[in-house]
Amino acid sequence: MSVEPIPSWPGELIELGERSVHVRSTPPGPTETAVYVHGLAGSATNWTDLMGELSDVVTGHAIDLPGSGYSPEPPGGDYSVGAHAGTVAALIKRVATGPVHLFGNSLGGAVSVRVAATRPELVRSLTLISPALPDLLPRYGPARVALSAVPRLGEWAATQLAALPAERRLNATLAMCYADLGRLHPERLREAAEELRRRDGLPYAAAALVGSARGIVAEYFRRGAENLWRQAARVTAPTLVVHGRHDRLVNPRMAARAGRTFPHVRLVLLPDAGHVAQMELPGRVAREARRLIGETAPVPIGND
């Protein structure tokens, strides 16, 4: 804890047709490009440390999904996984001239699967960290998310939560996401609390949270060709799936189904990680991602 963490990467607002999104990027340099997609109630800053670890092999772009972070609410208030996937696809076409290394955590994992399945020409490799894919036996956390999808109940719950001090809400969320809160640097906690207080002042913050939660729940009940597991089976990009054994939100046993479903997949179970391994253990996640990038990049990438 004596070493100060790197600051958040600088960001800018990018116009994508009718949508505007805020994107944080590492300095340009490497020819390979990575795009990072955060989870529910997260933001681009969830990727700060992993982006730093990989900045020598990929130029990274982390998106604030519409309504999250510094991104404005989307036109029509559409927070569905499909709408988010469309936004990510548009960003990829904007920041890269070829396919990218796509990273997704939790909700961002579901979004990334849809992008990789429906726009295979945009994705060179796919790294999923505790992806929120449909589970018939969801854990306590996803069950709470499901309750937020109930009409009016979700809005009421969001209003009640907003009345609590930011630090109290943040500590409860982080305790759910981390296996060991001792790994969280005080500066990261300060940054997160500051961000939460800023978002409390946004008129669309509650709608964005509830809308994205409902988007996840809708995917759990989706049937047919657009079911996320059916789409996972169509992903052609080499895939890395990382789970934390102490994940309280996405059951790590889902790794077994991922291993049976994705055509070209490698599974990694981190025995001492929770739901946000890229934040909790960025060095270890980076080593696994670096291996995948090296295997799929069109030019050799060193391991130094």
Side-chain angles (χ1 to χ4, degrees):
M1 287 298 183
S2 60
V3 179
E4 287 298 306
I6 59 175
S8 298
W9 299 102
E12 63 174 330
L13 202 63
I14 296 179
E15 301 292 332
L16 300 174
E18 296 182 348
R19 295 156 291 185
S20 298
V21 292
H22 184 261
V23 179
R24 296 184 183 273
S25 304
T26 57
T31 56
E32 289 294 288
T33 301
V35 169
Y36 301 85
V37 190
H38 64 80
L40 182 67
S43 73
T45 57
N46 291 172
W47 299 100
T48 298
D49 294 308
L50 185 64
M51 290 172 71
E53 293 277 353
L54 296 175
S55 61
D56 63 321
V57 292
V58 290
T59 298
H61 304 278
I63 185 174
D64 286 330
L65 289 172
S68 300
Y70 282 87
S71 289
E73 59 186 329
D78 188 350
Y79 295 100
S80 66
V81 168
H84 285 327
T87 299
V88 171
L91 176 64
I92 292 173
K93 291 189 288 184
R94 176 69 177 272
V95 301
T97 57
V100 304
H101 302 281
L102 184 58
F103 289 72
N105 171 230
S106 196
L107 164 65
V111 172
S112 297
V113 168
R114 181 145 293 160
V115 173
T118 59
R119 299 299 303 274
E121 76 281 4
L122 299 180
V123 181
R124 191 182 304 284
S125 75
L126 178 64
T127 297
L128 305 173
I129 302 168
S130 297
L133 298 177
D135 183 359
L136 294 178
L137 297 172
R139 291 194 153 186
Y140 174 63
R144 292 171 61 190
V145 171
L147 287 176
S148 71
V150 178
R152 294 188 294 277
L153 178 59
E155 288 81 359
W156 176 84
T159 301
Q160 296 301 306
L161 283 173
L164 298 175
E167 287 78 4
R168 180 176 171 184
R169 282 177 282 149
L170 184 60
N171 285 331
T173 298
L174 292 173
M176 182 73 70
C177 291
Y178 273 67
D180 180 3
L181 273 177
R183 298 191 181 110
L184 180 66
H185 195 285
E187 179 62 15
R188 287 285 183 255
L189 182 61
R190 185 200 65 77
E191 290 172 351
E194 184 178 285
E195 168 68 6
L196 185 56
R197 283 191 290 269
R198 183 189 69 82
R199 287 196 56 77
D200 282 346
L202 299 177
Y204 57 81
L209 179 62
V210 173
S212 289
R214 286 173 176 161
I216 295 175
V217 172
E219 296 303 324
Y220 272 54
F221 297 99
R222 189 180 298 279
R223 298 293 181 264
E226 292 189 349
N227 173 271
L228 279 170
W229 283 113
R230 290 194 178 187
Q231 292 193 324
R234 301 202 302 270
V235 171
T236 57
T239 302
L240 169 67
V241 178
V242 179
H243 281 277
R245 186 179 294 278
H246 296 283
D247 194 331
R248 300 177 181 87
L249 296 173
V250 173
N251 198 317
R253 68 177 173 78
M254 298 302 288
R257 184 170 183 180
R260 296 191 302 267
T261 304
F262 287 93
H264 310 287
V265 65
R266 180 164 60 89
L267 307 176
V268 173
L269 179 64
L270 297 178
D272 51 348
H275 186 62
V276 288
Q278 82 279 10
M279 299 171 69
E280 192 169 10
L281 298 169
R284 281 158 64 181
V285 174
R287 284 196 294 272
E288 301 295 343
R290 185 182 292 266
R291 174 180 165 187
L292 179 64
I293 292 169
E295 292 170 347
T296 58
V299 294
I301 292 180
N303 292 318
D304 296 336

